[in-house]
mmCIF file of all heavy atoms in Angstrom:
data_model
loop_
_atom_site.group_PDB
_atom_site.id
_atom_site.type_symbol
_atom_site.label_atom_id
_atom_site.label_comp_id
_atom_site.label_asym_id
_atom_site.label_seq_id
_atom_site.Cartn_x
_atom_site.Cartn_y
_atom_site.Cartn_z
ATOM 1 N N GLY A 91 -6.343 28.425 -21.147
ATOM 2 C CA GLY A 91 -6.086 29.814 -21.645
ATOM 3 C C GLY A 91 -5.788 29.710 -23.153
ATOM 4 O O GLY A 91 -6.177 28.783 -23.853
ATOM 5 N N LEU A 92 -5.142 30.764 -23.667
ATOM 6 C CA LEU A 92 -4.796 30.817 -25.033
ATOM 7 C C LEU A 92 -4.017 29.676 -25.608
ATOM 8 O O LEU A 92 -4.090 29.315 -26.770
ATOM 9 C CB LEU A 92 -4.105 32.147 -25.370
ATOM 10 C CG LEU A 92 -4.917 33.417 -25.171
ATOM 11 C CD1 LEU A 92 -4.064 34.615 -25.295
ATOM 12 C CD2 LEU A 92 -6.156 33.428 -26.060
ATOM 13 N N GLU A 93 -3.211 29.146 -24.715
ATOM 14 C CA GLU A 93 -2.338 27.931 -25.094
ATOM 15 C C GLU A 93 -3.105 26.606 -24.995
ATOM 16 O O GLU A 93 -2.475 25.588 -25.265
ATOM 17 C CB GLU A 93 -1.087 27.923 -24.274
ATOM 18 C CG GLU A 93 -0.171 29.056 -24.394
ATOM 19 C CD GLU A 93 1.074 29.049 -23.512
ATOM 20 O OE1 GLU A 93 1.229 28.052 -22.710
ATOM 21 O OE2 GLU A 93 1.831 30.004 -23.594
ATOM 22 N N GLY A 94 -4.373 26.694 -24.668
ATOM 23 C CA GLY A 94 -5.187 25.438 -24.494
ATOM 24 C C GLY A 94 -5.301 25.069 -23.057
ATOM 25 O O GLY A 94 -4.983 25.913 -22.132
ATOM 26 N N GLU A 95 -5.791 23.936 -22.790
ATOM 27 C CA GLU A 95 -6.017 23.379 -21.461
ATOM 28 C C GLU A 95 -4.910 22.353 -21.170
ATOM 29 O O GLU A 95 -4.656 21.518 -21.982
ATOM 30 C CB GLU A 95 -7.384 22.807 -21.274
ATOM 31 C CG GLU A 95 -8.484 23.787 -21.475
ATOM 32 C CD GLU A 95 -9.854 23.241 -21.209
ATOM 33 O OE1 GLU A 95 -9.943 22.132 -20.661
ATOM 34 O OE2 GLU A 95 -10.862 23.802 -21.672
ATOM 35 N N ARG A 96 -4.287 22.464 -19.967
ATOM 36 C CA ARG A 96 -3.299 21.490 -19.653
ATOM 37 C C ARG A 96 -2.930 21.527 -18.167
ATOM 38 O O ARG A 96 -3.202 22.500 -17.502
ATOM 39 C CB ARG A 96 -2.002 21.768 -20.392
ATOM 40 C CG ARG A 96 -1.397 23.141 -20.179
ATOM 41 C CD ARG A 96 -0.368 23.482 -21.189
ATOM 42 N NE ARG A 96 0.025 24.819 -20.980
ATOM 43 C CZ ARG A 96 1.242 25.292 -20.703
ATOM 44 N NH1 ARG A 96 2.233 24.433 -20.618
ATOM 45 N NH2 ARG A 96 1.500 26.550 -20.582
ATOM 46 N N PHE A 97 -2.361 20.409 -17.692
ATOM 47 C CA PHE A 97 -1.840 20.393 -16.337
ATOM 48 C C PHE A 97 -0.463 20.947 -16.472
ATOM 49 O O PHE A 97 0.260 20.715 -17.451
ATOM 50 C CB PHE A 97 -1.752 18.877 -15.866
ATOM 51 C CG PHE A 97 -3.039 18.379 -15.449
ATOM 52 C CD1 PHE A 97 -3.712 17.550 -16.327
ATOM 53 C CD2 PHE A 97 -3.654 18.653 -14.231
ATOM 54 C CE1 PHE A 97 -4.962 17.005 -15.959
ATOM 55 C CE2 PHE A 97 -4.911 18.118 -13.889
ATOM 56 C CZ PHE A 97 -5.563 17.303 -14.777
ATOM 57 N N ILE A 98 -0.011 21.692 -15.453
ATOM 58 C CA ILE A 98 1.344 22.238 -15.407
ATOM 59 C C ILE A 98 1.928 22.028 -14.057
ATOM 60 O O ILE A 98 1.192 21.765 -13.066
ATOM 61 C CB ILE A 98 1.411 23.750 -15.732
ATOM 62 C CG1 ILE A 98 0.644 24.560 -14.627
ATOM 63 C CG2 ILE A 98 0.816 24.104 -17.131
ATOM 64 C CD1 ILE A 98 1.022 26.027 -14.658
ATOM 65 N N VAL A 99 3.269 22.047 -13.971
ATOM 66 C CA VAL A 99 3.949 21.904 -12.709
ATOM 67 C C VAL A 99 4.815 23.126 -12.596
ATOM 68 O O VAL A 99 5.623 23.515 -13.429
ATOM 69 C CB VAL A 99 4.887 20.665 -12.741
ATOM 70 C CG1 VAL A 99 5.691 20.581 -11.438
ATOM 71 C CG2 VAL A 99 4.048 19.411 -12.937
ATOM 72 N N LYS A 100 4.663 23.856 -11.444
ATOM 73 C CA LYS A 100 5.455 24.914 -11.077
ATOM 74 C C LYS A 100 6.491 24.349 -10.051
ATOM 75 O O LYS A 100 6.153 24.012 -8.951
ATOM 76 C CB LYS A 100 4.705 26.044 -10.402
ATOM 77 C CG LYS A 100 3.659 26.675 -11.320
ATOM 78 C CD LYS A 100 2.776 27.608 -10.673
ATOM 79 C CE LYS A 100 1.655 28.062 -11.564
ATOM 80 N NZ LYS A 100 0.507 28.772 -10.839
ATOM 81 N N ASN A 101 7.808 24.230 -10.535
ATOM 82 C CA ASN A 101 8.714 23.435 -9.760
ATOM 83 C C ASN A 101 9.870 24.369 -9.295
ATOM 84 O O ASN A 101 10.681 24.853 -10.095
ATOM 85 C CB ASN A 101 9.290 22.348 -10.682
ATOM 86 C CG ASN A 101 10.130 21.357 -9.954
ATOM 87 O OD1 ASN A 101 10.608 21.641 -8.815
ATOM 88 N ND2 ASN A 101 10.318 20.241 -10.504
ATOM 89 N N PRO A 102 10.044 24.561 -7.956
ATOM 90 C CA PRO A 102 11.111 25.369 -7.469
ATOM 91 C C PRO A 102 12.431 24.838 -7.628
ATOM 92 O O PRO A 102 13.447 25.500 -7.474
ATOM 93 C CB PRO A 102 10.714 25.597 -6.008
ATOM 94 C CG PRO A 102 9.956 24.348 -5.673
ATOM 95 C CD PRO A 102 9.192 24.047 -6.915
ATOM 96 N N ASN A 103 12.529 23.504 -7.958
ATOM 97 C CA ASN A 103 13.864 22.786 -8.144
ATOM 98 C C ASN A 103 14.408 22.960 -9.512
ATOM 99 O O ASN A 103 15.563 22.672 -9.821
ATOM 100 C CB ASN A 103 13.660 21.289 -7.860
ATOM 101 C CG ASN A 103 13.057 21.089 -6.494
ATOM 102 O OD1 ASN A 103 13.606 21.513 -5.465
ATOM 103 N ND2 ASN A 103 11.977 20.380 -6.428
ATOM 104 N N ALA A 104 13.603 23.474 -10.486
ATOM 105 C CA ALA A 104 13.968 23.597 -11.873
ATOM 106 C C ALA A 104 14.922 24.847 -11.972
ATOM 107 O O ALA A 104 14.538 25.960 -11.565
ATOM 108 C CB ALA A 104 12.830 23.732 -12.760
ATOM 109 N N THR A 105 16.070 24.623 -12.527
ATOM 110 C CA THR A 105 17.002 25.798 -12.694
ATOM 111 C C THR A 105 16.797 26.438 -14.109
ATOM 112 O O THR A 105 16.956 27.601 -14.208
ATOM 113 C CB THR A 105 18.472 25.326 -12.643
ATOM 114 O OG1 THR A 105 18.762 24.275 -13.553
ATOM 115 C CG2 THR A 105 18.806 24.895 -11.192
ATOM 116 N N THR A 106 16.308 25.658 -15.021
ATOM 117 C CA THR A 106 15.864 26.158 -16.332
ATOM 118 C C THR A 106 14.712 25.298 -16.829
ATOM 119 O O THR A 106 14.530 24.177 -16.438
ATOM 120 C CB THR A 106 16.989 26.031 -17.431
ATOM 121 O OG1 THR A 106 17.385 24.665 -17.565
ATOM 122 C CG2 THR A 106 18.187 26.809 -17.015
ATOM 123 N N THR A 107 13.861 25.992 -17.649
ATOM 124 C CA THR A 107 12.730 25.337 -18.232
ATOM 125 C C THR A 107 12.639 25.700 -19.684
ATOM 126 O O THR A 107 13.236 26.658 -20.109
ATOM 127 C CB THR A 107 11.412 25.688 -17.568
ATOM 128 O OG1 THR A 107 11.239 27.162 -17.701
ATOM 129 C CG2 THR A 107 11.403 25.443 -16.025
ATOM 130 N N CYS A 108 11.919 24.839 -20.426
ATOM 131 C CA CYS A 108 11.713 25.171 -21.828
ATOM 132 C C CYS A 108 10.632 26.229 -21.940
ATOM 133 O O CYS A 108 9.912 26.544 -20.995
ATOM 134 C CB CYS A 108 11.357 23.932 -22.628
ATOM 135 S SG CYS A 108 9.741 23.255 -22.199
ATOM 136 N N GLY A 109 10.412 26.713 -23.139
ATOM 137 C CA GLY A 109 9.422 27.807 -23.367
ATOM 138 C C GLY A 109 7.984 27.355 -22.984
ATOM 139 O O GLY A 109 7.228 28.143 -22.551
ATOM 140 N N CYS A 110 7.682 26.072 -23.257
ATOM 141 C CA CYS A 110 6.294 25.659 -23.016
ATOM 142 C C CYS A 110 6.150 25.229 -21.515
ATOM 143 O O CYS A 110 4.946 25.002 -21.106
ATOM 144 C CB CYS A 110 5.834 24.576 -23.963
ATOM 145 S SG CYS A 110 6.742 23.060 -23.799
ATOM 146 N N GLY A 111 7.187 25.028 -20.775
ATOM 147 C CA GLY A 111 7.108 24.621 -19.440
ATOM 148 C C GLY A 111 6.971 23.195 -19.187
ATOM 149 O O GLY A 111 6.749 22.747 -18.066
ATOM 150 N N SER A 112 7.105 22.320 -20.200
ATOM 151 C CA SER A 112 6.861 20.933 -20.049
ATOM 152 C C SER A 112 8.136 20.130 -19.751
ATOM 153 O O SER A 112 8.150 18.953 -19.386
ATOM 154 C CB SER A 112 6.187 20.268 -21.234
ATOM 155 O OG SER A 112 7.003 20.392 -22.364
ATOM 156 N N SER A 113 9.298 20.832 -19.893
ATOM 157 C CA SER A 113 10.522 20.160 -19.511
ATOM 158 C C SER A 113 11.449 21.122 -18.725
ATOM 159 O O SER A 113 11.167 22.313 -18.698
ATOM 160 C CB SER A 113 11.305 19.720 -20.755
ATOM 161 O OG SER A 113 11.780 20.720 -21.531
ATOM 162 N N PHE A 114 12.395 20.556 -17.971
ATOM 163 C CA PHE A 114 13.186 21.360 -17.096
ATOM 164 C C PHE A 114 14.543 20.689 -16.831
ATOM 165 O O PHE A 114 14.737 19.474 -17.210
ATOM 166 C CB PHE A 114 12.458 21.536 -15.732
ATOM 167 C CG PHE A 114 12.343 20.256 -14.899
ATOM 168 C CD1 PHE A 114 13.223 19.963 -13.834
ATOM 169 C CD2 PHE A 114 11.381 19.333 -15.231
ATOM 170 C CE1 PHE A 114 13.138 18.849 -13.125
ATOM 171 C CE2 PHE A 114 11.302 18.140 -14.489
ATOM 172 C CZ PHE A 114 12.153 17.867 -13.428
ATOM 173 N N SER A 115 15.454 21.427 -16.215
ATOM 174 C CA SER A 115 16.671 20.828 -15.713
ATOM 175 C C SER A 115 16.853 21.204 -14.328
ATOM 176 O O SER A 115 16.367 22.229 -13.822
ATOM 177 C CB SER A 115 17.893 21.232 -16.608
ATOM 178 O OG SER A 115 18.091 22.626 -16.545
#
Side-chain angles (χ1 to χ4, degrees):
L92 293 175
E93 296 178 0
E95 296 184 17
R96 61 191 171 122
F97 288 99
I98 64 161
V99 177
K100 298 174 188 167
N101 191 342
N103 304 304
T105 56
T106 59
T107 60
C108 68
C110 68
S112 65
S113 68
F114 69 100
S115 64

